Amino acid sequence: MPIRRLPEHLVNRIAAGEVVERPFAVVKELAENALDAGARRIDIFFHGGGRTLIEVADDGCGMTRDDLRLAVERHATSKLEGDDLVRIGTLGFRGEALASIGAVARMSIVSRAEEAPEAWEIRVEAGRVEEPKPAARPRGTTVSVRDLFFATPARLKFLRSEQAENREAAQTVRRLAMAHPEVAFLLATEKRRMVDLPAQSPEARMAAIMGRDFAASSFAVEAVREGYRLHGRASLPTLSHGQPSMQFLFVNGRPVQDRQLTGALRAAYRDVLAAGRHPYVALFIECPPELVDVNVHPAKREVRFRDPALVRGLIVRALREGLDAAAHRAADRLGDDLRSVVPGRGQGGTSLPPGLSRVVLEAQAPLPSPDAGRRVPSGLAEGAGVETGACESGDGTGHRPEGPEALAEPAARPPEAPDAAALSRPLGAALAQFHDTYILSQTDDGIVIVDQHAAHERLVYERLKRQREAEGIAVQPLLVPEVVDLPPDHAEALLGAAEELQSLGLKVEPFGGGAVVVREVPAVLAGGGIARLVADLAADMAEQELPLSLSERLDHVLATMACHHSVRAGRRLSREEMDALLREVERTPRSAQCNHGRPTYVKLTLADIERLFGRK
Ligand code: ADP
Ligand code: MG
């Protein structure tokens, strides 16, 4: 066949495949045009899941008759001054949205420019453009798109259910609305209003989109580095979602769904959210236009930063700092919850001086302790003074069920008064253990309940991470290498990561079939249920759908190790062990939450308790 130049309508139809993949993309392009036109109010009707009608009306600057003719042509735009593709200050700039939509649907644009005596309408049907006709409407523009994709039946087959398209359209509008609180947005289907937002303050807009809990369950983010500014809010680990749909990211006011940026979020929350949970965030990155390229994706969803590593670091660091600072506050939450149900709330008046009514731990500033600074390979054993006296029994494999800490058997002795010196510590002096699961301790002004497994898991994890970063993880060869049988695909995934695992102290080799043999383990984990740990790690690795960075994977492995080797609920602890655990929690950053984001301890002040009993 001879080479030929494609006719314009065919070129547009091909481009439409990228620019308007699905109905929500039409909503996005038309709403962006309205915002670029300076609209204060945007009304969107979305019928039949976007198949029958999408109509977007705005009160922006409008278009003249001549503008209308050009607007529907491909690569015609009013938004690029000169030839500068760098300083792009508008949402649009490619000049292909209207041409693309017109190529695959029946489109009508009615528009009236500022101070123009009349309005004009132009129609485009499957790429065929009609002459503009006079029409009537006040200043602004209404674009109606009927029978979307009727000209490309193949595309029609790929549309999802009406509900799914409605959901995407709503999400698209919310993204734009978050960046433009000063603009009123309405998105309605034939059945209901899906988004209805008045012009409002940025705070009110955020609350309207993220939900009322967000303000109280999030922290403010503000960081600047080398021309990039990051600001917004991000949720505490206590507020998360099973889908990433509550993540709103913007670059210079443009909503983006960028894998690099979501990767940075995942890295920041890795230690505090369980796999499969996603934080709520509304984060804005601002930078001079030359530091970011927005022209890398036809739908402009992704961006390239001049220095991607710097931006990632900026996000990860800012979020981690915020999470750390907020972490210990979470432990006070129970007090707040109780206060809210206890009678007499709000009547004020507590006999304790305000400063004493709450103890707030600052994660950033580790508390001074006599042994701070000394390298403590196993902090728990230190209090117990016994390194290897862990109890037998447990998992039936003949291994000690508990890992590294080798907790001593509780000594049989009469109860004593709590350690007076420890009373003034943030987590107080251990009083007792109950249900072999929780530690009860007393502080100067209240009590603390610690979940021993959650707290210990966190400590082991942080210790392994510190070791890895400092001098590498101490390794212990197994006298009798342990053979573990695995499903073949799990074994394959595990062996594929053998090198990483060895850098973490876990040496595994193939042993034929699905079996692997474990030859070395991290010293702190020696003696634990290695087989189960290895099986879990292998399953994790086989099932991980997301490609994690190496350090993310390493941390994930460490977290799994920590979980397996922490003091189980159900372990008896001696008073010394309990006190040692409390002291180590105080010393360890991020220790107010376990690796899955649950609190490791809760506090009640005397004032809280008195209110509980109606004494206040
Ligand atoms: P782009 O937005 O990339 O410029 P479009 O195809 O979306 O390309 O729009 C082409 C041109 O039509 C815009 O540059 C703008 O001048 C004009 N236009 C489109 N929509 C509107 C609107 N709602 N109000 C005013 N002008 C508009
Ligand atoms: Mg546009």
Side-chain angles (χ1 to χ4, degrees), residues 66-147:
D66 293 343
D67 288 343
L68 277 174
R69 275 218 187 96
L70 274 174
V72 298
E73 268 177 39
R74 189 169 160 74
H75 301 315
T77 179
S78 58
K79 300 174 191 172
L80 281 184
E81 247 183 271
D83 300 336
D84 194 355
L85 263 184
V86 172
R87 315 206 139 262
I88 291 168
T90 48
L91 292 165
F93 59 87
R94 298 171 61 107
E96 47 188 7
L98 292 182
S100 300
I101 297 166
V104 296
R106 295 181 233 277
M107 176 173 78
S108 140
I109 310 176
V110 181
S111 191
R112 177 158 168 188
E114 191 116 55
E115 280 154 36
E118 75 258 278
W120 289 89
E121 173 176 16
I122 194 166
R123 288 170 177 269
V124 184
E125 193 167 317
R128 219 168 20 78
V129 182
E130 290 174 15
E131 267 303 295
K133 293 192 192 82
R137 70 150 288 154
R139 191 191 87 143
T141 304
T142 302
V143 182
S144 314
V145 179
R146 280 169 224 282
D147 305 325

Side-chain angles (χ1 to χ4, degrees), residues 372-550:
R374 195 149 53 84
R375 183 168 132 69
V376 185
S378 57
L380 267 184
E382 166 192 31
V386 184
E387 182 99 31
T388 51
C391 65
E392 294 289 332
S393 91
D395 62 2
T397 61
H399 293 297
R400 288 181 302 161
E402 314 316 338
E405 301 331 322
L407 294 163
E409 280 290 4
R413 74 182 105 68
E416 317 151 22
D419 177 358
L423 285 173
S424 59
R425 307 300 296 268
L427 293 191
L431 287 181
Q433 183 188 25
F434 56 96
H435 290 283
D436 292 353
T437 301
Y438 301 102
I439 298 167
L440 178 66
S441 74
Q442 181 177 336
T443 63
D444 278 340
D445 71 339
I447 57 168
V448 179
I449 301 169
V450 180
D451 176 333
Q452 66 188 44
H453 172 65
H456 194 227
E457 175 179 337
R458 187 80 216 183
L459 298 184
V460 174
Y461 177 47
E462 293 293 335
R463 195 177 313 140
L464 283 166
K465 276 209 307 196
R466 278 200 304 276
Q467 267 195 24
R468 172 162 75 84
E469 278 153 25
E471 69 268 25
I473 289 172
V475 170
Q476 176 163 329
L478 293 180
L479 284 179
V480 184
E482 186 150 346
V483 177
V484 187
D485 270 315
L486 299 171
D489 56 321
H490 291 197
E492 195 180 312
L494 187 79
L495 292 167
E499 230 172 90
E500 290 163 37
L501 292 173
Q502 188 158 9
S503 78
L504 298 175
L506 193 67
K507 185 171 178 187
V508 291
E509 291 169 2
F511 198 69
V516 299
V517 56
V518 185
R519 299 200 176 274
E520 291 176 0
V521 298
V524 290
L525 305 187
I530 293 296
R532 218 174 54 212
L533 167 67
V534 167
D536 273 9
L537 279 177
D540 268 9
M541 291 181 163
E543 279 150 23
Q544 233 150 51
E545 1 74 86
L546 290 166
L548 298 177
S549 76
L550 178 60

